[in-house]
Amino acid sequence: MSFFSRPHSTPVKIATPNTQDELKSHRKDSVQRQCRNIMIYGYCKFQDKGCIYYHPPTASRLLMPSLSAQAINAPIFVPKTITSALSYPTHDGYDSYTYNGADVSVSSEALDAIQYYDETQYNPYQHDYATTTLDPSYAYPSAPVFLRQPLNYHLYTPAMPVPFALSTSELHFVPASHDLRQMLQQRSEVTRGVAPIELPQELQGYHTLAPMENINATPNERRKFLNWYSVVYRAIRTSDGIPYALRRIENFRLTQQSAFAAIEAWSRIRHPGIVSVHEAFTTKSFNDSSLVVCYSYHANARTLFDLHLRSKVAAFQQQVPSQASQRQVAAGYAPGPFGSVGSTTAASASQQHQMVAERVVWSYVVQIASAIKAVHDAGMAVRMVDATKILVTSQNRVRIGSCGLIDVLMHDTPQNMALQQQEDLTMFGRLLFALCCQSFVVSNGPGFQKSLDTIGRQYSPELKNAILFLMSKATPHRVSTIDQFLDMIAGKVVNEMNDALLATDRLENELLSELENARLVRLLCKFGFINERPEFAREPRWSETGDRYIVKLFRDYVFHQVDEHGSPVINLSHVLTCLNKLDAGTDEKIMLVARDEQSCLVVSYKDIKRCVETTFLCVLAFPFPRHTIYKLNVLIV
């Protein structure tokens, strides 16, 4: 529409047409028009019966060439211009890495002359004529100049195959899409939790400490790390602003600085099945001599003990918290094991006493075995394969925590690395035995054989043999290694890898859905640059005229609607629908009414999008420096 391409156009007032005046003008013009029946058939049978068109005399009809109906409806011939004088657009494959916004140099005067490529305007008869048959002296019309635009990535179909991209089904490692969002929201909520109790404001470069365990519990309820009481805090490091987990060992006096050498060795290990170790230091901020080891923080994580092995008595005690815990819940902070939200609920308590699924047990086996192999290959031993120190950070994802701490606490004790690595396998077997039997007691004593028979009835023989291999004692002629164990469960490792690849595909599909989530923000930024601009190009009313006026009316249509009582309409669905249609440039038409309700315009979203882009290019190119377009190229796309 030419109305929208003029920068100084004004709204046209809609009035009721006068049908009588229109009929008179039609009849007045029709007398001067020759009858088409004369041109096609050579005669008109309604000539003497009231035909209102002009009929030439019979003598002049003989000199008139006769045309067929197909010739009358044939397309208009458009002569092709000389090839050297034309520059046709090339339609080669689009390369997203070669596009540069600086190549688009447009002046404010030439904006109206820019035409966008439209396949519906393509003339199929244009290339049927040779340029050698044209008269070079004839002034042929010049070819239009097309502006190459970037692709609309948000209109593309998803690239992920459908069987691997279904977000409604639950995978082994990734829950359904709505559950995944809820899990991430809970992690964010836990990370921002604040402790209602008094703690040191600053601790060796860390601040905002919050306990992740109940520090007001009785000595019998508190957990011990060997012979020392231990508490885990969440803290923010001042240097990078990232939360970390600080495990504090109470009343520990470090005698030798060389004990921190083990922490340096552990800090070089990076494995997906191990909670990363960062640093260790001693402090007296808690009014005692404490050892603090810094680990990576995994929000809302739980230990295997809290998830599968907590007894009925402990579950009941968690459901009836003490008075100190009730004060913490009332204050809005309910610390759980290693950063989980609140205590164990009734649903999770009932889940603890159910048998762990064999697929889940095999997943734990493969992940823990992979972590142990990484430690053994580095020439060290884990020394803490315990259910209270292994974290479940997400769905069926486990990581070994509290690594390196025993090496510092037992620094003065002589160490035999081969025996310690063998002890890792034994502790691993006891952990699997406890998970399958739901108790720690049955791994030793007279009930061992009975518990082993229970495992044979509930689980497959492969899992039973794997547990027996890990718990078997080493002899001088037979030493078990983690490599031998991985060779035994090679088939389960392949299944675990397949599930991990499926989880990667699912997460990639979830990320693909958020790829172009900033397009509406870019539209709003363009509105902010255009609407209510006080002065531009020495025109005080620049934002109230031309295409800018249409953008302003659309802004009122989206954000400033009122109901029949004059109250503002706050409808986010309406806003998102309108902005998405504008971003896509649909042909749907809407009516924009002026604020004084004296004029209105019926335009399509496609026309409004062209007005926004044209006006924004005017603002972007003024006063036409070439580097300006490159600066805000992200808004043009």
Side-chain angles (χ1 to χ4, degrees), residues 226-243:
L226 297 181
N227 296 326
W228 295 274
Y229 287 109
S230 173
V231 182
V232 181
Y233 300 91
R234 188 204 68 241
I236 307 297
R237 188 156 68 177
T238 307
S239 59
D240 55 11
I242 299 177

Side-chain angles (χ1 to χ4, degrees), residues 13 35 85 109 170-171 177 192 214 263 276 368 389 454 486 561 563:
K13 184 176 181 180
C35 182
E109 294 80 9
E170 181 175 341
L171 299 180
S177 181
R192 296 191 303 267
N214 187 8
I263 299 298
S276 301
I368 297 175
K389 303 300 182 293
T454 304
L486 289 175
Q561 289 193 6
D563 56 10

Side-chain angles (χ1 to χ4, degrees), residues 503-522:
T504 303
D505 293 339
R506 166 67 65 80
L507 295 178
E508 182 179 345
N509 182 68
E510 294 289 339
L511 182 62
L512 183 64
S513 63
E514 304 293 335
L515 183 62
E516 289 293 330
N517 58 0
R519 299 193 67 88
L520 300 186
V521 176
R522 290 199 287 267

Side-chain angles (χ1 to χ4, degrees), residues 1-50:
M1 299 175 65
S2 60
F3 172 79
F4 301 106
S5 63
R6 297 177 182 177
H8 298 286
S9 59
T10 57
V12 180
K13 184 176 181 180
I14 297 178
T16 304
N18 192 341
T19 55
Q20 297 180 357
D21 296 340
E22 184 179 358
L23 181 60
K24 292 181 181 179
S25 60
H26 175 72
R27 290 183 176 179
K28 181 178 180 181
D29 296 336
S30 61
V31 177
Q32 307 298 331
R33 189 176 303 175
Q34 188 174 352
C35 182
R36 180 169 291 189
N37 292 331
I38 300 296
M39 300 174 60
I40 300 176
Y41 305 104
Y43 68 97
C44 179
K45 62 181 180 180
F46 301 100
Q47 180 176 357
D48 300 330
K49 297 181 181 180

Side-chain angles (χ1 to χ4, degrees), residues 392-622:
V392 182
T393 56
S394 60
Q395 181 169 296
N396 298 327
R397 280 287 287 115
V398 293
R399 289 178 170 89
I400 302 178
S402 302
C403 296
L405 189 55
I406 292 185
D407 296 333
V408 179
L409 298 177
M410 308 294 294
H411 175 68
D412 299 333
T413 306
Q415 301 179 5
N416 187 335
M417 190 57 61
L419 293 179
Q420 291 177 359
Q421 292 181 355
Q422 187 66 34
E423 184 65 21
D424 288 345
L425 299 183
T426 304
M427 295 175 65
F428 188 18
R430 293 175 181 173
L431 172 65
L432 298 180
F433 200 97
L435 286 176
C436 295
C437 297
Q438 298 290 297
S439 176
F440 276 114
V441 182
V442 295
S443 60
N444 296 315
F448 176 79
Q449 186 61 38
K450 183 178 180 181
S451 301
L452 192 62
D453 296 338
T454 304
I455 295 177
R457 291 192 302 267
Q458 297 291 337
Y459 298 96
S460 62
E462 291 82 3
L463 182 58
K464 178 181 177 181
N465 295 334
I467 296 175
L468 292 177
F469 175 83
L470 293 173
M471 297 183 64
S472 61
K473 295 182 179 181
T475 61
H477 303 285
R478 179 182 178 276
V479 178
S480 303
T481 61
I482 191 63
D483 293 329
Q484 296 175 358
F485 180 73
L486 289 175
D487 293 339
M488 180 187 301
I489 61 170
K492 304 302 179 181
V493 175
V494 174
N495 296 336
E496 192 75 5
M497 185 190 68
N498 294 335
D499 290 335
L501 294 178
L502 288 176
T504 303
D505 293 339
R506 166 67 65 80
L507 295 178
E508 182 179 345
N509 182 68
E510 294 289 339
L511 182 62
L512 183 64
S513 63
E514 304 293 335
L515 183 62
E516 289 293 330
N517 58 0
R519 299 193 67 88
L520 300 186
V521 176
R522 290 199 287 267
L523 274 179
L524 295 177
C525 291
K526 291 180 181 180
F527 286 162
F529 286 120
I530 296 172
N531 288 322
E532 310 297 340
R533 182 171 287 275
E535 182 179 357
F536 181 77
R538 298 182 180 180
E539 293 186 18
R541 293 180 53 82
W542 177 82
S543 61
E544 302 291 334
T545 58
D547 295 341
R548 285 78 63 187
Y549 186 70
I550 297 177
V551 177
K552 177 183 177 181
L553 293 184
F554 180 76
R555 189 270 310 269
D556 294 343
Y557 173 80
V558 175
F559 297 101
H560 297 166
Q561 289 193 6
V562 296
D563 56 10
E564 61 274 9
H565 304 291
S567 302
V569 177
I570 309 299
N571 189 352
L572 185 59
S573 176
H574 168 72
V575 173
L576 295 178
T577 301
C578 294
L579 292 180
N580 281 312
K581 290 181 180 179
L582 176 63
D583 184 43
T586 62
D587 293 330
E588 180 182 348
K589 294 185 178 181
I590 59 175
M591 185 173 65
L592 305 179
V593 183
R595 295 183 177 181
D596 56 2
E597 299 183 356
Q598 297 300 318
S599 60
C600 60
L601 295 174
V602 178
V603 294
S604 63
Y605 285 99
K606 183 178 181 180
D607 298 328
I608 301 175
K609 181 179 180 180
R610 188 190 58 79
C611 293
V612 173
E613 293 178 352
T614 303
T615 307
F616 180 72
L617 285 177
C618 285
V619 177
L620 193 62
F622 185 85

Side-chain angles (χ1 to χ4, degrees), residues 302-309 364 387 390 392 398 431 435:
R302 303 180 63 187
T303 63
L304 284 178
F305 178 82
D306 295 320
L307 191 62
H308 298 295
L309 301 176
Y364 294 164
I390 296 179
V392 182
V398 293
L431 172 65
L435 286 176

